[in-house]
Amino acid sequence: MIQAIAETIFDILYLGFALTAGLTMLRKGKDPLVRKAGLMAAVLGAGDAFHLVPRSYALWTAGLEANAAALGIGKLITSITMTIFYLILYYIWRERYQITDQKALTGTMWGLAALRVLLCLLPQNQWLTYRQPLLFGVLRNIPFAIIGVIIIVIFARETKKAEDPVFRFMPLAVALSFGFYLPVVLFSGVAPAVGMLMIPKTMAYVWIVSMGWKLYRQGA
């Protein structure tokens, strides 16, 4: 019961922030960059809702295993929307620092995103089961991790060059999000307590959205 209460409160606060910030920036943002940040936040909140709402329901009712199918579908949707999240962040990087070339890098990002989505859609993932195969959990996250490394490197380079006060911690926030997420992929099946790392991972996403919100508050 304590877990159900704590997780539900946390999820309501997180989803409420992501969706409110995202929709506000989309509707009221004067600059295309702010609207991209709003779209990114809205995609994050909407996608995560497909996993977190069934999870809260499961904790309050028959338990996680009894709701395996709903949780699995939610994880599938979240896996795809998180890929879109980072693609939007890539385009935020391009617009923020006025990157007009890098066709090869753009192609690489789209190729990795497409590969990630394709791997997520394969039936071998067994999304409707309570314990999905570790092999495909690793495989579908390889292109995702590469996307993360690229985002970290390109933001680190440009934020330092531009001395950007808004996005200067973006590389750290993205690195933390992956640093907390990947151990869950690898070890939560044998050590369920590792799943607690999803809380700081979520806070890293809140940090990323907050940077976009800072742009909005500056009137961009």
Side-chain angles (χ1 to χ4, degrees):
M1 180 61 71
I2 294 177
Q3 181 184 2
I5 295 172
E7 282 200 29
T8 301
I9 293 173
F10 180 82
D11 293 345
I12 290 172
L13 292 175
Y14 161 60
L15 294 175
F17 168 72
L19 289 170
T20 300
L23 294 174
T24 300
M25 287 188 281
L26 270 174
R27 288 190 302 108
K28 298 183 178 181
K30 300 176 182 178
D31 188 273
L33 183 62
V34 172
R35 290 196 290 271
K36 282 187 177 67
L39 178 61
M40 181 182 70
V43 167
L44 173 71
D48 279 0
F50 279 96
H51 174 60
L52 296 178
V53 172
R55 182 176 173 86
S56 292
Y57 173 81
L59 289 173
W60 284 98
T61 57
L64 300 176
E65 192 164 356
N67 291 274
L71 291 171
I73 293 171
K75 286 174 66 177
L76 168 60
I77 294 171
T78 299
S79 297
I80 294 172
T81 55
M82 282 312 308
T83 309
I84 298 170
F85 173 89
Y86 280 108
L87 265 183
I88 298 171
L89 186 55
Y90 169 73
Y91 280 95
I92 288 174
W93 169 79
R94 289 182 63 91
E95 187 163 337
R96 179 67 170 174
Y97 306 109
Q98 299 180 352
I99 308 297
T100 57
D101 48 6
Q102 301 286 353
K103 289 183 179 180
L105 179 59
T106 300
T108 299
M109 290 293 288
W110 276 96
L112 289 167
L115 178 59
R116 155 83 166 172
V117 172
L118 176 62
L119 289 170
C120 287
L121 292 174
L122 291 176
Q124 289 88 342
N125 287 285
Q126 299 180 30
W127 289 111
L128 301 183
T129 63
Y130 182 61
R131 298 189 185 279
Q132 290 98 29
L134 175 61
L135 174 61
F136 270 81
V138 172
L139 287 178
R140 66 177 177 262
N141 279 293
I142 290 174
F144 190 51
I146 296 172
I147 288 173
V149 170
I150 292 173
I151 292 291
I152 292 166
V153 170
I154 62 178
F155 266 98
R157 183 181 63 209
E158 296 298 332
T159 53
K160 183 177 181 181
K161 188 189 303 181
E163 298 182 351
D164 188 347
V166 176
F167 289 147
R168 61 175 175 162
F169 292 119
M170 184 66 77
L172 177 59
V174 175
L176 288 173
S177 72
F178 277 93
F180 291 125
Y181 170 68
L182 293 178
V184 176
V185 173
L186 295 172
F187 305 117
S188 62
V190 293
V194 175
M196 293 295 290
L197 291 176
M198 294 299 278
I199 295 176
K201 182 219 73 165
T202 300
M203 295 310 298
Y205 286 136
V206 169
W207 193 8
I208 293 171
V209 172
S210 297
M211 294 180 207
W213 183 254
K214 187 176 181 180
L215 274 181
Y216 168 70
R217 295 294 295 172
Q218 289 177 349

